[in-house]
Amino acid sequence: MKSNVIVVYKSTTGFTRQYAQAIAKALGGEAVSLKNAGDLAGARVIYGGRIIAGGVDGWKQFQKRCPRPAALFAVGALPADLEDTVKAVWKQNLTEAELAAIPHFYFQGGLRYDKMPLGEKLMMKAFAAMLAKKKDKSTYDQQAAAVMGHSYDCYNAAAIAPLVDTVQSL
């Protein structure tokens, strides 16, 4: 029997879709892209989007349909252990009330330049080059410079466990 969980996601290069599908499978629900999401009434809805320019892709659009999901996840290229950077992303995307009310999770994905739109690919390459030349690099700058110059895959299905546990306990 299917659960009433729907994992709605917006994915460009596939990492967010991978996590959404894994979460849906673990919870016995279904994963559906934001553009194909139908009626969400009566479901426990989880939203996931990639981090791009400090924002969670599609989050504002999704909130118009579902202001308070059961959980929110974001997928980014940087390691999850950069806690200050991850906290800054959440503060940029969620109000104080949302931070307290919506369980939120960050998962490291990676970069797939071959699947990235040309404009984003050029922007990422330029950002990586700028970071490489920067003299006084922060921890974030060092991590970003080390990984942003090439494609890599850090998808980790086990990382979803805290989100799955949280949604199961609701």
Side-chain angles (χ1 to χ4, degrees):
M1 179 174 163
K2 278 229 182 244
S3 75
N4 67 341
V5 173
I6 300 173
V7 183
V8 179
Y9 65 89
K10 185 166 183 189
S11 184
T12 299
T13 62
F15 291 110
T16 305
R17 182 181 67 248
Q18 279 182 277
Y19 280 111
Q21 290 171 337
I23 293 164
K25 183 177 180 180
L27 293 169
E30 67 176 306
V32 61
S33 70
L34 179 58
K35 69 180 178 181
N36 295 326
D39 184 14
L40 302 175
R44 285 184 296 166
V45 182
I46 299 165
Y47 181 74
R50 68 184 175 142
I51 294 175
I52 181 162
V56 178
D57 198 14
W59 172 238
K60 296 300 180 195
Q61 181 184 357
F62 172 78
Q63 280 188 297
K64 293 175 185 172
R65 298 190 58 201
C66 182
R68 188 170 182 269
L72 167 66
F73 69 94
V75 179
L78 295 175
D81 62 359
L82 288 176
E83 293 176 19
D84 290 341
T85 302
V86 173
K87 283 180 185 177
V89 167
W90 291 126
K91 282 186 177 185
Q92 184 173 326
N93 288 273
L94 301 172
T95 66
E96 288 297 322
E98 290 168 337
L99 282 167
I102 302 170
H104 47 280
F105 304 85
Y106 173 81
F107 307 129
Q108 184 178 9
L111 290 173
R112 291 181 176 141
Y113 280 106
D114 60 317
K115 296 188 186 250
M116 200 177 285
L118 180 61
E120 290 178 22
K121 188 183 303 187
L122 294 173
M123 182 178 66
M124 293 294 289
K125 293 284 188 176
F127 184 61
M130 179 197 74
L131 284 175
K133 292 178 184 177
K134 191 173 178 182
K135 291 186 196 268
D136 295 320
K137 293 181 182 86
S138 66
T139 301
Y140 168 84
D141 294 338
Q142 291 169 9
Q143 292 269 349
V147 299
M148 290 190 169
H150 60 279
S151 292
Y152 63 96
D153 185 339
C154 291
Y155 172 76
N156 176 7
I160 68 169
L163 183 152
V164 170
D165 291 345
T166 297
V167 172
Q168 286 176 330
S169 71
L170 296 176

